[in-house]
């Protein structure tokens, strides 16, 4: 039986904080927060053809590997905590903002399994805990990208990412309406009024 869409207060709560205050960090994907920097760095390199890729090296702080090092999870809930699986999913076009995409069927996908086997996670204690670096070796050359979650993100980029994630949670139309409502607020008091 289909579930009813969340009410406005619940929808806002599920979107996380979208009030534009310096220092707020959004979680744009449905995977572990520790994987987000690598995934956002990868987005700068997409599209990539899976068949061209030889090795995908990810460099992260040692603390980021503790909960995200499972290279071959077999369940959707475990896949959310696998750097290798999440990057493979993104390269193959899986929408990682959608919680439902993290499934047992995704883990069993031969294309995901083959691609995640090419991911090598390396730790570097000098790397920020909020950052990741990628080196992608492909038949077409070497590609590099990095991302730090504390790096400033301009409003246009933040809006696009928040709307994409919100659309995955509550639907595109409702996400756009919530954005407009929040964007028009001038104070935290007005934001609180929106929740009632």
């Amino acid at each position: 039986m289909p579930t009813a869409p969340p009410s406005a207060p619940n929808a806002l709560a599920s979107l996380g904080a979208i009030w534009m205050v310096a220092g707020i960090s959004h979680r744009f994907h449905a995977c572990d927060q520790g994987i987000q920097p690598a995934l956002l760095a990868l987005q700068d390199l997409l599209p990539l053809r899976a068949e061209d890729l030889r090795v995908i090296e990810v460099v992260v702080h040692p603390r980021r590997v503790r909960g995200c090092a499972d290279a071959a999870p077999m369940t959707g809930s475990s896949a959310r905590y696998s750097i290798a699986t999440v990057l493979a999913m993104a390269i193959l076009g899986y929408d990682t903002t959608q919680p439902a995409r993290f499934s047992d069927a995704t883990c069993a996908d031969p294309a995901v399994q083959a691609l995640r086997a090419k991911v090598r996670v390396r730790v570097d204690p000098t790397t920020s805990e909020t950052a990741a670096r990628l080196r992608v070796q492909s038949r077409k050359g070497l590609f590099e990208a990095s991302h730090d979650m504390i790096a400033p993100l301009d409003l246009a980029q933040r809006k696009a990412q928040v709307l994409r994630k919100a659309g995955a949670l509550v639907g595109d139309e409702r996400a756009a309406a919530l954005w407009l409502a929040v964007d028009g607020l001038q104070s935290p008091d007005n934001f609180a009024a929106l929740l009632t």
Side-chain angles (χ1 to χ4, degrees), residues 138-161:
S138 164
R139 285 190 293 190
K140 301 198 175 202
L142 177 66
F143 304 96
E144 297 182 309
S146 62
H147 186 82
D148 192 328
M149 295 297 289
I150 62 172
L153 193 62
D154 70 50
L155 184 58
Q157 291 174 306
R158 188 177 300 274
K159 178 180 179 180
Q161 292 276 11

Side-chain angles (χ1 to χ4, degrees), residues 51-192:
E51 55 272 20
D52 290 338
L53 303 182
R54 293 182 174 140
V55 177
I56 303 157
E57 182 182 68
V58 185
V59 180
V60 294
H61 188 277
R63 285 197 185 106
R64 291 301 179 194
V65 174
R66 288 185 191 141
C68 302
D70 187 352
M74 294 311 298
T75 65
S77 58
S78 298
R80 294 174 192 254
Y81 300 94
S82 169
I83 294 172
T85 300
V86 173
L87 293 182
M89 288 172 62
I91 291 167
L92 292 168
Y94 281 87
D95 185 352
T96 55
T97 66
Q98 294 274 354
R101 298 305 285 170
F102 292 86
S103 67
D104 297 0
T106 298
C107 291
D109 180 344
V112 170
Q113 292 179 352
L115 192 51
R116 73 185 179 194
K118 297 178 181 183
V119 177
R120 307 287 181 264
V121 179
R122 189 168 63 80
V123 297
D124 178 356
T126 66
T127 299
S128 166
E129 290 186 46
T130 59
R133 296 189 315 270
L134 293 182
R135 287 173 51 93
V136 177
Q137 296 177 28
S138 164
R139 285 190 293 190
K140 301 198 175 202
L142 177 66
F143 304 96
E144 297 182 309
S146 62
H147 186 82
D148 192 328
M149 295 297 289
I150 62 172
L153 193 62
D154 70 50
L155 184 58
Q157 291 174 306
R158 188 177 300 274
K159 178 180 179 180
Q161 292 276 11
V162 168
L163 285 175
R164 183 170 175 239
K165 174 67 183 286
L169 296 172
V170 299
D172 292 337
E173 188 174 314
R174 186 160 228 201
L178 288 168
W179 180 272
L180 286 174
V182 172
D183 193 36
L185 299 175
Q186 299 301 314
S187 74
D189 291 338
N190 290 345
F191 183 75

